[in-house]
């Protein structure tokens, strides 16, 4: 029995000698590899059909458009010189009188007009008391309802001033010069026929302003509204120092609401600082462009194309482009036509600059640092669990543009990329052009050490970008076809602390 | 996914709590076929059922055993793991180096209900539970190091769990002399046992496929399909045939075939639970709310049958007045929760240093599935009853910090 107890105690001792600790998980670190992105970034995605368009052969164009116009043409003024006095008035007659009508300034020949302002004066002198009726009508001047202008003796010998606003001169669309006005005198009295009843004076020598004018003009100039004829270009981050555009073209679509042919004269002027480049806006033969008139069906359209003519302007990477000394001219060569006072000339211009340029190695620094807010959860996670992070990247560049981008991280917005004291660390990525690297490129792995990750435990951090293009040895052309893209794939690597008590 | 892991762990835990054919076998590291007699012979070799010619009695719970083991980690490693504040790479390697392909956990238990012998027959009942689970080493590699490889594939071969529990009602008869044995040949005796099995619960892994990859080219991809089948309540049968011969007064040899026609038909509350998850080409940049499509479907199913794999056991026993030495070889013919196709050799020895103090030791040699198993037993014996305690250690000669598992058994016999 004793031996059994000894053996039993021995077995129990073996058991009890073994201490089994309470289950508790330690902390350890693991590496996680998480796919981040695998995307094709097509050049065609940049095309917004507004500022960036795809042209022939899928070449990408930077396009800009705007509208320029002239002020309203306004009223056409004409200065007649009718001043007839002492015209005898016989009794019992129906007599025609021819009043010569011409522009004393010799600028216009009227065939038809709607008068906006102007007047005619008439005075009857020493009219016999036996006079029963005395009336003068002008058939070439009609009211809006078609009645000829009629002036009647009213017993007074004072000047009658008749406001002609709203009266029409001549016949609409007759295109017959109105060189004289046909007046008609009608009288009746108790005196024998032929007896002189008195005299009359007629004056039409004040300026007439027509709101609608048909006829010929010897000279009319209409300038552009200067404020609408200029473009200011603000190149972001001095990118103009890294790019030289090869060529550009401009198309001017002119909409002419005037019923006259006219000629367009003007210059494009580009400025970059003190450098001024100016070219004359003329056709391929060096002649001024002719603008078609409006007709009964609507305004006249003229499309003026400047193929490659403005390349010289674009190559200075202008900060300001303006159409200067521009005017539309109507002259005797323009023939007969119609003008309304609200008529104007409007032009839509489109500047197309193909993505064909030279790239220069020039560091471009984005002026403003980007503020990044980091949530408390993420800060806690980074602070407690994330030990290292890295980004493994590959890229397939199908675009003949290469370069590098460098990100500067700091805890203040005052990051000066030239002063390491103002930021905590920087990371750089380099992507080569498809011309030199047609296959997948292994981009330099970006890693963040534990000390660098400490920055991300702050609520706000700042990021400033700096980048530069690879110098191109020749002109670079960017297309937007299905094979023009940058493919990027990357894997996020993180060293993470497993802490089951906290997690 | 979380549910799958939880269920798998629960299953592993459950499996770890039960097993062992009869408690006394623990004393000899399962080298027990020719040592079992009385009621115990119903489970080991019914041919030896009536060898002592008296009435043997089993009382509830007094013959019980439990076994927990795994193939990889010892207590020392466990303690080291749970007491470390931080796990270094060396610590991880220390643990991973102990695992060969997968970590498997086995468990079994048996609890006696009652038993009695009457002449050359006996009837008994006991409850059994067997379970095993296996988890690929790659899971631990993932947990310790993260997804350092581009692709991970997990299959049922290394990731599975199964459990079966039942109560038997066994009747057997033995001590039948094999006829036509020449007189100058040793007598061969035979016996049989037939068990009606009342199935309590069954769980088994029907499918386990998990594929996970993470590459720059194809993103993160996950495809998993786990199908667990479970049954509650069933009826079954198993037979045990045995023979033995006392070749000489000092040497016995025997053979048994267990689980003959062994099967349980589950037919009361059966279901399959399918867990699936999939995610295709996931990148952080295109993450949406539901990046992983998961489903957890439960479906009632009709009856199904769990086969209990047939096992053959060969044994020899050398008897000496103060020492007995035995050797058992067990070979399954199929893989099942209760059987293995990988054979195993066990050796046992019993001593009687003083007449009332039986002492036993046993060793079960390791195979590709199981570590070495060493048993120590001691008892107190008097006329008509005995009480025994046994302890078993896995992969360590002495139960202690280097053990990868323990078994504990209590065996009580009363005879008159």
């Amino acid at each position: 029995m004793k031996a059994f107890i000894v053996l039993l105690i021995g077995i129990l001792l073996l058991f009890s000698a073994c201490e089994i600790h309470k289950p508790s998980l330690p902390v350890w670190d693991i590496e996680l590899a998480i796919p981040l992105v695998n995307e094709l970034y097509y050049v065609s995605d940049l095309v917004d059909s507004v500022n960036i368009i795809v042209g022939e052969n899928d070449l990408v164009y930077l396009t800009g458009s705007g509208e320029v116009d002239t002020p309203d043409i306004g009223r056409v003024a004409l200065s007649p010189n009718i001043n007839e006095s002492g015209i005898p008035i016989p009794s019992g007659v129906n007599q025609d009188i021819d009043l010569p009508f011409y522009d004393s300034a010799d600028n216009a020949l009227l065939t038809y007009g709607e008068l906006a302002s102007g007047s005619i004066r008439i005075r009857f002198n020493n009219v016999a008391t036996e006079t029963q009726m005395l009336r003068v009508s002008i058939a070439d001047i009609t009211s809006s309802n078609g009645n000829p202008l009629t002036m009647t003796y009213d017993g007074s010998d004072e000047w009658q001033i008749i406001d002609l606003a709203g009266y029409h001169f001549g016949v609409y669309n007759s295109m017959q010069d109105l060189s004289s006005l046909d007046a008609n005198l009608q009288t009746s009295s108790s005196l024998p026929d032929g007896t002189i009843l008195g005299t009359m004076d007629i004056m039409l020598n004040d300026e007439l302003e027509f709101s609608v004018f048909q006829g010929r003009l010897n000279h009319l100039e209409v300038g552009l509204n200067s404020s609408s004829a200029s473009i200011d270009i603000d190149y972001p981050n001095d990118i103009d120092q890294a790019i030289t555009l090869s060529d550009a073209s401009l198309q001017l679509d002119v909409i002419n609401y005037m019923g006259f042919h006219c000629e367009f004269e003007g210059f494009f002027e580009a400025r970059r600082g003190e450098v001024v480049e100016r070219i004359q806006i003329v056709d391929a033969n060096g002649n001024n462009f002719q603008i078609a008139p409006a007709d009964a069906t609507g305004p006249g359209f003229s499309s003026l194309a400047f193929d490659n003519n403005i390349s010289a302007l674009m190559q200075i990477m202008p900060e300001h482009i303006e159409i200067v000394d521009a005017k539309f001219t109507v002259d005797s060569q323009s023939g007969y036509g119609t003008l309304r006072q609200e008529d104007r000339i409007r032009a839509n211009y489109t500047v197309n600059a193909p993505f064909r340029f030279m790239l220069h190695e020039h560091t471009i620094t984005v002026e403003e640092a980007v503020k990044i807010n980091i949530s408390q959860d993420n800060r806690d996670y980074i602070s407690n669990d994330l030990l290292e992070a890295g980004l493994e990247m590959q890229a397939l560049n199908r675009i003949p543009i290469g370069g590098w981008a460098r990100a500067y991280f700091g805890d203040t917005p005052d990051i000066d990329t030239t002063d390491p004291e103002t930021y905590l660390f920087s990371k750089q990525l380099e992507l080569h052009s498809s011309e030199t690297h047609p296959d997948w490129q292994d981009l330099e792995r970006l890693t963040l050490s534990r000390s660098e990750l400490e920055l991300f435990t702050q609520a706000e951090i700042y990021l400033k970008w700096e980048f530069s293009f690879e110098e191109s040895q020749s002109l670079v052309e960017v297309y937007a076809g299905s094979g023009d893209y940058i493919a990027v794939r990357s894997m996020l690597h993180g060293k993470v602390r497993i802490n089951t008590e906290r997690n | 996914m979380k549910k799958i892991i939880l269920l798998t762990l629960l299953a592993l835990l459950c499996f770890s709590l039960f097993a062992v054919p009869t408690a006394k076998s623990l004393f000899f590291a399962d080298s027990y076929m020719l040592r079992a007699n009385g009621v115990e012979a119903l489970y080991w070799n019914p041919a030896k059922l009536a060898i002592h010619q008296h009435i043997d009695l089993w009382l509830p719970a007094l013959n019980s055993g439990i076994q927990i083991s795994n193939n990889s980690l010892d207590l020392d490693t466990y303690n080291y793991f749970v007491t470390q504040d931080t796990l270094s790479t060396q610590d991880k390697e220390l643990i991973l180096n102990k695992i060969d392909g997968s970590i498997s956990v086995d468990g079994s238990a048996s609890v006696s209900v009652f038993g009695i012998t009457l002449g050359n027959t006996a009837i008994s009942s006991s409850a059994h539970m067997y379970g095993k689970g296996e988890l690929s080493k790659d899971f631990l590699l993932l947990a310790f190091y993260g997804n350092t490889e581009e692709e991970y594939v997990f299959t049922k071969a290394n990731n599975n769990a199964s459990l079966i529990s039942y109560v038997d009602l066994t009747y057997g008869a033995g001590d039948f002399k094999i006829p036509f044995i020449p007189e100058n040949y040793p007598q061969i005796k035979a016996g049989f046992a037939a068990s009606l099995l009342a199935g309590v619960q069954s769980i088994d892994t029907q499918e386990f496929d998990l594929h996970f990859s993470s590459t720059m080219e194809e993103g993160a991809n996950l495809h998993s399909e786990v199908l667990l089948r479970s049954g509650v309540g069933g009826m079954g049968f198993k037979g045990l045939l045995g023979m033995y011969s006392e070749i000489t007064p000092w040497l016995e040899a025997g053979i048994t075939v267990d689980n003959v026609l062994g099967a349980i038909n589950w037919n009361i509350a059966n279901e399959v639970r399918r867990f699936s998850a999939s995610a295709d080409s996931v990148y952080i940049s295109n993450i949406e709310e539901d990046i992983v499509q998961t489903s957890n479907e439960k479906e009632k199913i009709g009856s199904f049958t769990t086969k209990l794999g047939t096992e053959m056991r060969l044994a020899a026993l050398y008897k000496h007045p103060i020492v007995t030495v035995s050797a058992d070889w067990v070979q399954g013919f199929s893989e099942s929760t209760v059987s293995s196709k990988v054979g195993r050799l066990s050796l046992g020895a019993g001593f009687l240093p003083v007449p009332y103090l039986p002492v036993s030791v046993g060793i079960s040699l390791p195979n590709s599935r199981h570590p070495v198993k060493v048993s120590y037993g001691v008892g107190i014996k008097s006329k008509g009853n005995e009480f025994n305690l046994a302890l078993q250690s896995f992969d360590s000669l002495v139960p202690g910090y280097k053990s990868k598992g323990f078994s504990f058994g209590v065996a009580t016999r009363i005879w008159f």
Side-chain angles (χ1 to χ4, degrees):
Chain A
M1 187 65 182
K2 195 183 286 181
F4 171 74
I5 291 170
V6 169
L7 275 170
L8 186 60
I9 289 171
I11 290 171
L12 292 174
L13 276 175
L14 281 173
F15 262 129
S16 60
C18 294
E19 186 182 1
I20 302 176
H21 289 279
K22 183 182 170 187
S24 169
L25 281 176
V27 170
W28 71 90
D29 306 332
I30 66 169
E31 305 271 352
L32 287 182
I34 305 168
L36 181 62
V37 68
N38 186 359
E39 295 281 353
L40 299 182
Y41 298 100
Y42 286 94
V43 174
S44 57
D45 290 342
L46 296 173
V47 174
D48 60 6
S49 301
V50 178
N51 295 310
I52 300 176
I53 59 172
V54 179
E56 289 181 6
N57 302 322
D58 292 334
L59 185 62
V60 180
Y61 284 80
L62 188 64
T63 185
S65 62
E67 185 179 299
V68 293
D69 58 8
T70 65
D72 290 350
I73 300 300
R75 297 166 181 173
V76 176
L78 197 144
S79 300
N81 193 18
I82 297 173
N83 189 356
E84 301 289 336
S85 60
I87 301 170
I89 306 170
S91 174
V93 296
N94 187 351
Q95 179 184 331
D96 289 332
I97 303 168
D98 220 17
L99 300 172
F101 183 76
Y102 58 89
D103 181 17
S104 61
D106 194 25
N107 190 42
L109 276 175
L110 182 72
T111 62
Y112 170 78
E114 290 177 19
L115 204 58
S117 71
S119 60
I120 187 170
R121 282 177 286 178
I122 190 166
R123 183 172 65 182
F124 299 96
N125 303 310
N126 304 317
V127 177
T129 55
E130 293 82 0
T131 302
Q132 296 167 336
M133 185 273 290
L134 175 51
R135 184 169 60 206
V136 177
S137 61
I138 302 176
D140 288 324
I141 302 177
T142 55
S143 66
S144 58
N145 53 15
N147 297 321
L149 172 67
T150 301
M151 296 164 288
T152 307
Y153 173 61
D154 59 1
S156 167
D157 57 359
E158 296 295 320
W159 282 100
Q160 294 181 42
I161 302 172
I162 296 100
D163 184 2
L164 294 178
Y167 278 85
H168 299 191
F169 281 58
V171 178
Y172 184 66
N173 278 346
S174 66
M175 295 302 167
Q176 296 295 316
D177 289 345
L178 193 64
S179 56
S180 64
L181 301 176
D182 291 334
N184 179 262
L185 174 65
Q186 288 182 315
T187 62
S188 66
S189 70
S190 56
L191 295 175
D193 289 346
T195 306
I196 298 299
L197 297 175
T199 61
M200 64 176 182
D201 305 328
I202 296 177
M203 293 178 68
L204 182 59
N205 55 4
D206 289 340
E207 187 175 82
L208 301 176
E209 291 183 341
F210 291 93
S211 58
V212 176
F213 173 88
Q214 283 189 327
R216 295 176 64 185
L217 290 168
N218 285 335
H219 189 76
L220 175 68
E221 282 186 5
V222 185
L224 288 177
N225 284 324
S226 60
S227 60
S228 65
S230 66
I231 307 169
D232 287 311
I233 304 172
D234 183 18
Y235 298 101
N237 307 306
D238 299 332
I239 199 168
D240 48 316
Q241 295 183 41
I243 291 177
T244 301
L245 284 170
S246 166
D247 49 31
S249 64
L250 180 136
Q251 178 153 327
L252 204 59
D253 293 321
V254 181
I255 305 164
N256 183 9
Y257 293 91
M258 298 193 303
F260 283 92
H261 272 287
C262 57
E263 187 176 81
F264 177 67
E265 296 173 65
F267 295 86
F268 274 117
E269 186 175 281
R271 289 187 215 133
R272 177 182 176 81
E274 298 298 316
V275 180
V276 178
E277 191 77 33
R278 176 185 272 221
I279 60 167
Q280 191 175 4
I281 304 173
V282 290
D283 64 19
N285 299 318
N287 299 320
N288 288 331
F289 286 99
Q290 298 299 316
I291 310 300
D295 57 22
T297 61
F301 286 95
S302 299
S303 192
L304 321 182
F306 300 82
D307 288 331
N308 298 325
N309 284 354
I310 62 169
S311 302
L313 295 187
M314 302 307 287
Q315 282 175 7
I316 67 167
M317 300 301 287
E319 295 161 341
H320 181 87
I321 300 176
E322 192 173 356
I323 298 175
V324 296
D325 298 340
K327 61 185 179 185
F328 295 90
T329 304
V330 177
D331 59 20
S332 57
Q333 302 296 317
S334 303
Y336 288 91
T338 303
L339 273 183
R340 287 175 173 78
Q341 65 174 356
E342 66 273 16
D343 282 349
R344 61 171 56 194
I345 297 174
R346 191 157 57 81
N348 296 320
Y349 64 86
T350 305
V351 179
N352 287 322
F355 273 36
R356 182 184 293 126
F357 38 65
M358 295 283 287
L359 294 172
H360 312 295
E361 198 169 332
H362 175 77
T363 301
I364 299 163
T365 305
V366 177
E367 287 180 11
E368 292 291 322
V370 181
K371 185 168 87 173
I372 300 172
N373 294 310
I374 302 177
S375 69
Q376 185 64 50
D377 285 349
N378 285 336
R379 274 150 47 204
D380 289 346
Y381 176 73
I382 292 167
S383 173
N384 297 323
D385 301 317
L386 190 60
L387 306 176
E388 288 175 15
L391 196 60
E392 180 185 2
M393 293 183 75
Q394 291 180 339
L396 178 63
N397 188 0
R398 297 288 196 199
I399 301 170
I401 298 175
W404 56 258
R406 193 179 293 139
Y408 293 83
F409 295 89
D411 52 8
T412 73
D414 305 318
I415 294 174
D416 178 358
T417 58
T418 61
D419 181 5
E421 296 294 320
T422 62
Y423 58 89
L424 296 174
F425 59 89
S426 66
K427 300 291 174 185
Q428 179 172 315
L429 268 181
E430 191 165 0
L431 179 66
H432 299 290
S433 155
S434 62
E435 299 290 311
T436 55
H437 291 72
D439 300 319
W440 282 96
Q441 305 172 41
D442 284 317
L443 307 187
E444 189 177 354
R445 182 165 171 159
L446 297 180
T447 57
L448 289 174
S449 65
R450 180 63 232 172
S451 61
E452 289 170 338
L453 282 169
E454 283 296 326
L455 174 65
F456 296 90
T457 62
Q458 300 186 33
E460 291 177 356
I461 64 168
Y462 295 88
L463 164 65
K464 195 166 197 172
W465 286 102
E466 195 174 73
F467 59 92
S468 173
F469 296 119
E470 260 179 1
E471 180 91 37
S472 65
Q473 302 303 317
S474 57
L475 279 175
V476 168
E477 291 184 337
V478 179
Y479 294 87
S482 58
D484 301 299
Y485 57 81
I486 298 176
V488 175
R489 58 195 190 197
S490 70
M491 186 78 99
L492 190 62
H493 294 270
K495 190 170 185 180
V496 178
R497 173 141 295 181
I498 301 294
N499 187 337
T500 52
E501 283 187 12
R502 191 171 54 246
N503 297 335
Chain B
M1 191 65 190
K2 198 172 175 183
K3 288 180 179 175
I4 296 170
I5 294 169
L6 277 175
L7 275 171
T8 307
L9 289 174
L10 270 175
L12 285 170
L13 185 63
C14 292
F15 303 158
S16 307
L17 294 178
F18 299 95
V20 181
T22 62
K24 193 71 184 293
S25 65
L26 292 175
F27 290 68
F28 298 93
D30 297 338
S31 177
Y32 197 61
M33 192 249 273
L34 292 170
R35 296 178 182 276
N37 57 66
V39 176
E40 277 191 314
L42 284 175
Y43 301 94
W44 288 94
N45 190 348
K48 299 193 73 173
L49 201 150
I51 196 166
H52 286 307
Q53 301 295 324
H54 42 57
I55 295 172
D56 190 27
L57 195 62
W58 257 15
L59 295 177
L62 293 182
N63 286 278
S64 301
I66 184 169
Q67 168 201 315
I68 308 167
S69 70
N70 76 91
N71 67 341
S72 306
L73 306 177
D74 55 27
L75 182 58
D76 215 11
T77 309
Y78 165 81
N79 280 339
Y80 181 80
F81 180 72
V82 298
T83 53
Q84 293 297 108
D85 292 329
T86 304
L87 220 54
S88 67
T89 301
Q90 290 77 13
D91 297 332
K92 294 174 187 174
E93 287 302 307
L94 177 77
I95 295 167
L96 291 170
N97 286 338
K98 291 175 181 291
I99 300 170
D100 183 18
S102 64
I103 179 166
S104 65
V105 178
D106 287 87
S108 60
S110 74
V111 179
S112 63
V113 179
F114 75 93
I116 188 167
T117 58
L118 294 167
N120 69 334
T121 64
I123 186 166
S124 71
S125 176
S126 57
H128 305 264
M129 188 166 270
Y130 301 86
K132 59 184 181 184
E134 190 173 7
L135 199 63
S136 168
K137 183 179 181 178
D138 284 346
F139 271 117
L140 277 183
L141 282 167
L142 260 176
F144 281 170
Y145 288 112
N147 57 330
T148 53
E149 303 290 328
E150 287 190 343
E151 186 177 39
Y152 292 87
V153 177
F154 302 96
T155 64
K156 185 183 164 190
N158 283 330
N159 302 278
N160 55 74
S162 60
L163 164 74
I164 187 168
S165 59
Y166 60 84
V167 177
D168 72 78
L169 178 62
T170 302
Y171 171 79
D175 208 27
F176 299 117
K177 294 177 181 171
I178 300 293
F180 311 118
I181 303 286
E183 282 185 5
N184 53 344
Y185 277 70
Q187 182 65 54
I188 299 175
K189 292 186 176 179
F192 73 92
S195 301
L196 283 177
L197 308 177
V200 179
Q201 187 169 27
S202 165
I203 298 174
D204 65 302
T205 308
Q206 294 279 294
E207 291 177 25
F208 190 102
D209 288 301
L210 195 160
H211 179 273
F212 171 69
S213 64
S214 179
T215 63
M216 266 199 288
E217 293 79 7
E218 297 180 3
N221 293 277
L222 169 71
H223 293 281
S224 72
E225 194 83 28
V226 176
L227 185 66
L228 291 178
R229 183 176 65 174
S230 66
V232 175
M235 291 299 292
F237 171 85
K238 83 179 184 76
L240 170 62
L241 301 174
M243 289 189 294
Y244 89 100
S245 176
E246 193 172 68
I247 300 167
T248 71
W250 306 282
L251 182 65
E252 289 180 12
I255 181 170
T256 61
V257 180
D258 198 2
N259 297 330
V260 177
L261 304 176
I264 298 177
N265 183 257
W266 305 91
N267 50 22
I268 295 179
N270 305 327
E271 64 180 31
V272 288
R273 190 178 283 263
R274 182 183 295 276
F275 307 94
S276 63
S278 68
D280 290 307
S281 300
V282 175
Y283 290 88
I284 289 179
S285 62
N286 62 11
I287 274 184
E288 296 168 2
E289 280 188 7
D290 297 322
I291 54 168
V292 179
Q293 302 294 321
T294 60
S295 72
N296 179 0
E297 297 169 1
K298 192 166 67 173
E299 185 186 348
K300 298 281 182 196
I301 57 170
S303 63
F304 68 91
T305 299
T306 302
K307 290 194 173 176
L308 307 178
T310 306
E311 278 185 341
M312 183 182 72
R313 184 176 289 264
L314 300 169
L317 174 67
Y318 170 78
K319 297 180 288 187
H320 186 270
I322 59 169
V323 63
T324 59
V325 178
S326 59
D328 286 43
W329 173 263
V330 62
Q331 176 70 55
F333 297 109
S334 63
E335 287 293 336
S336 73
T337 310
V338 297
S339 63
S340 170
K341 287 170 79 173
V342 181
R344 192 164 193 195
L345 178 65
S346 302
L347 304 171
F351 309 92
L352 206 58
V354 288
Y356 56 86
L357 189 70
V359 175
S360 62
V361 294
I363 181 167
S364 182
L365 299 180
N367 63 13
S368 60
R369 302 279 179 83
H370 302 280
V372 66
K373 182 163 72 171
V374 183
S375 299
Y376 302 93
V378 63
I380 184 165
K381 186 177 181 182
S382 64
K383 187 175 180 183
N385 56 69
E386 72 176 27
F387 175 72
N388 302 278
L389 291 174
L391 189 63
Q392 220 172 48
S393 166
F394 290 76
D395 207 32
S396 172
L397 287 179
V398 179
Y401 290 114
K402 296 299 177 190
S403 297
K404 291 179 180 173
F406 299 95
S407 301
F408 183 71
V410 176
T412 307
R413 288 182 64 194
I414 299 170
W415 64 90
F416 45 87

